[in-house]
Amino acid sequence: MTEASLGCVLSPYLRPVVEDGRLALDHAVAGTVHRLSPLQESIVRMLWDPSAMSGLDALVAREGTDAVADALAGLLGDGVLFPDLEQCEAWIDSKLVQGCPSVPFVDQIELTNTCPMRCQFCPRGVAGRMKRPTGFMDLELYKKLLGQLNPTQSRYRPLELHHLGESLLHPQVVAFVQEASARGIPSEMSVNPSLLTPSLARGLIQGGLQRLVLSLDGMDDETLVGLRGPAARYSLAERNIDALLEQVARAPKPPTVVIQMLDLQRNRRQQPAFLARWAATGLPTVHAYVKDLDGPDPDSAQASGRPTRYLCTYPWRSVVVLWDGRVVPCCRDADGDCVIGDLHQQSLEQLWHDKPVRSLRAALASRTFPQGHPCLHCGWRRDQFAAAMQERHPDHAAPNPLRW
């Protein structure tokens, strides 16, 4: 039995993940995570790897024709399998249009793009790479933005109050969290724990921050400073995290705290110690994990063996707001090269229907971009994502507690 004899093909737009110990398929366009039955998992694994197709006959003999037919029907109905790739592409097109809201969701709000870190895997940390001016978002502009959000923003995802800078440096950072909480909008933040003083942590928790991600890429000063620069000291970060966890343990509504270590050549030998120290705190809302790097390792220049990639649906779904009120389509436009609006001149709804957004969607559909455009070589772009399907083989699937 072959893939052709099944009369269907596997969508190249799926991202395998592990949920509760089982394989699931993250379908960005449909906005769902499809959990597979054991039989469906066997079928998906075979279709993902053409060399395994010879095992389908044995699978049918073991499970029965009717059971396999039922499993295939379920996969066809959920956008996992299609009669052919042409129908898959048409389904993706229709889902993008159907799922496009009248007001975009907001993924990230950049409180500031200033940062004392010197992370070589971040465009902000490499000297001279970011050309746009640095500054701090005006709190009144932020309040205005909160009043323009999609009414279902809270169900979509929490507001990420960070982008390419260290949000803890904003002198009004706690007020930003409080303003969102006062409107019933959950918020989260990703920070460097060496800057998270106990008083700042207390303010964020009391302000209603829902999730706090702590970047901790080394277990000693030498490793952490080597990766993130002199402002990142493990001795200080450890004290701050311990103080934070004491507050989390006492909080009536504690935030989720995620302590993450990027998988890098320089810290690989420290990963067992990292998990031993931070993954067993005994606090139900505190988690620790090692995160795969999206991009080359700054020491080896080698790409991650398990790069974190997502299918881009941003121009049909959401935006990122820079500190100065300009709006870009996604978090990967580090330098504001593809500005699609300005909140000083337009509302969130107005810019979503204006020419720059329509032109971007058309360029993505035709796969034509001018030289230097941030989408030109992006691995999350639809055709690039599909071409890298084997890099996302189910054997490489991993849990993703952040679900970003």
Side-chain angles (χ1 to χ4, degrees):
M1 183 176 288
T2 64
E3 185 174 2
S5 66
L6 283 177
C8 56
V9 296
L10 186 65
S11 169
Y13 300 111
L14 305 167
R15 186 173 70 94
V17 294
V18 175
E19 287 211 342
D20 300 325
R22 293 209 56 83
L23 183 69
L25 299 175
D26 179 11
H27 207 316
V29 172
T32 60
V33 176
H34 181 76
R35 298 195 177 194
L36 301 172
S37 69
L39 179 53
Q40 288 178 329
E41 179 177 337
S42 296
I43 293 171
V44 166
R45 284 182 174 277
M46 288 180 179
L47 289 173
W48 211 290
D49 185 358
S51 66
M53 289 301 299
S54 59
L56 275 172
D57 285 328
L59 183 67
V60 172
R62 184 175 71 249
E63 302 290 342
T65 302
D66 290 344
V68 172
D70 288 344
L72 288 170
L75 294 172
L76 281 162
D78 288 319
V80 176
L81 300 183
F82 290 88
D84 52 53
L85 282 176
E86 183 177 349
Q87 293 187 51
C88 175
E89 297 291 345
W91 185 86
I92 296 286
D93 289 336
S94 66
K95 283 290 183 182
L96 286 172
V97 173
Q98 292 170 16
C100 185
S102 58
V103 178
F105 298 110
V106 175
D107 283 341
Q108 295 184 351
I109 299 176
E110 184 180 71
L111 304 195
T112 180
N113 62 340
T114 61
C115 186
M117 304 298 162
R118 295 296 176 262
C119 315
Q120 296 303 295
F121 42 80
C122 172
R124 182 65 188 88
V126 179
R129 182 176 295 180
M130 182 181 287
K131 303 294 194 300
R132 60 187 173 97
T134 56
F136 296 86
M137 176 169 278
D138 180 72
L139 184 60
E140 293 305 313
L141 174 65
Y142 173 71
K143 292 178 184 179
K144 180 180 175 183
L145 170 60
L146 292 180
Q148 298 176 4
L149 293 177
N150 187 301
T152 62
Q153 171 77 40
S154 296
R155 294 201 299 270
Y156 166 68
R157 73 196 297 175
L159 283 180
E160 297 177 24
L161 300 181
H162 59 258
H163 182 43
L164 287 173
E166 176 50 74
S167 297
L168 294 177
L169 295 181
H170 198 297
Q172 298 171 290
V173 60
V174 172
F176 278 79
V177 174
Q178 291 171 333
E179 290 292 340
S181 299
R183 293 164 174 78
I185 303 168
S187 60
E188 61 185 36
M189 199 174 292
S190 179
V191 305
N192 287 283
S194 57
L195 302 176
L196 183 64
T197 64
S199 60
L200 265 180
R202 186 179 305 109
L204 294 176
I205 292 174
Q206 293 176 351
L209 190 72
Q210 185 178 83
R211 181 161 57 183
L212 184 60
V213 180
L214 307 176
S215 298
L216 191 66
D217 298 315
M219 291 296 288
D220 54 46
D221 283 354
E222 179 183 3
T223 304
L224 197 54
V225 169
L227 286 168
R228 289 188 176 265
R233 300 196 308 278
Y234 180 80
S235 53
L236 181 55
E238 184 178 37
R239 290 198 300 272
N240 286 344
I241 295 174
D242 283 335
L244 167 71
L245 297 188
E246 289 179 10
Q247 296 185 50
V248 168
R250 298 193 302 267
K253 292 184 178 180
T256 295
V257 176
V258 179
I259 309 170
Q260 72 175 28
M261 173 180 275
L262 287 174
D263 179 25
L264 299 165
Q265 177 179 287
R266 195 177 302 195
N267 66 21
R268 205 153 286 149
R269 60 182 174 80
Q270 297 183 343
Q271 291 174 11
F274 167 81
L275 293 172
R277 175 71 171 88
W278 300 112
T281 64
L283 298 173
T285 65
V286 178
H287 313 276
Y289 85 121
V290 177
K291 181 182 179 182
D292 296 310
L293 181 66
D294 176 29
D297 189 296
D299 289 322
S300 68
Q302 297 296 313
S304 169
R306 228 168 37 177
T308 305
R309 286 185 177 161
Y310 300 88
L311 175 61
C312 174
T313 61
Y314 294 116
W316 292 268
R317 183 193 68 183
S318 61
V319 297
V320 168
V321 182
L322 304 182
W323 71 266
D324 57 3
R326 293 183 300 155
V327 179
V328 294
C330 77
C331 63
R332 297 173 71 80
D333 184 2
D335 219 21
D337 292 322
C338 185
V339 173
I340 56 175
D342 188 330
L343 292 178
H344 288 291
Q345 302 171 13
Q346 306 157 283
S347 70
L348 198 58
E349 182 176 11
Q350 287 170 341
L351 69 85
W352 192 237
H353 300 278
D354 208 353
K355 183 177 179 180
V357 176
R358 298 198 307 270
S359 298
L360 178 59
R361 292 172 188 156
L364 286 165
S366 63
R367 299 175 176 82
T368 54
F369 299 95
Q371 194 63 33
H373 194 282
C375 296
L376 189 60
H377 301 294
C378 180
W380 295 10
R381 202 178 74 199
R382 181 165 158 181
D383 54 322
Q384 303 266 12
F385 185 86
M389 182 177 179
Q390 287 307 314
E391 294 181 10
R392 305 187 307 278
H393 192 280
D395 288 349
H396 302 157
N400 185 5
L402 296 182
R403 295 188 180 180
W404 285 354

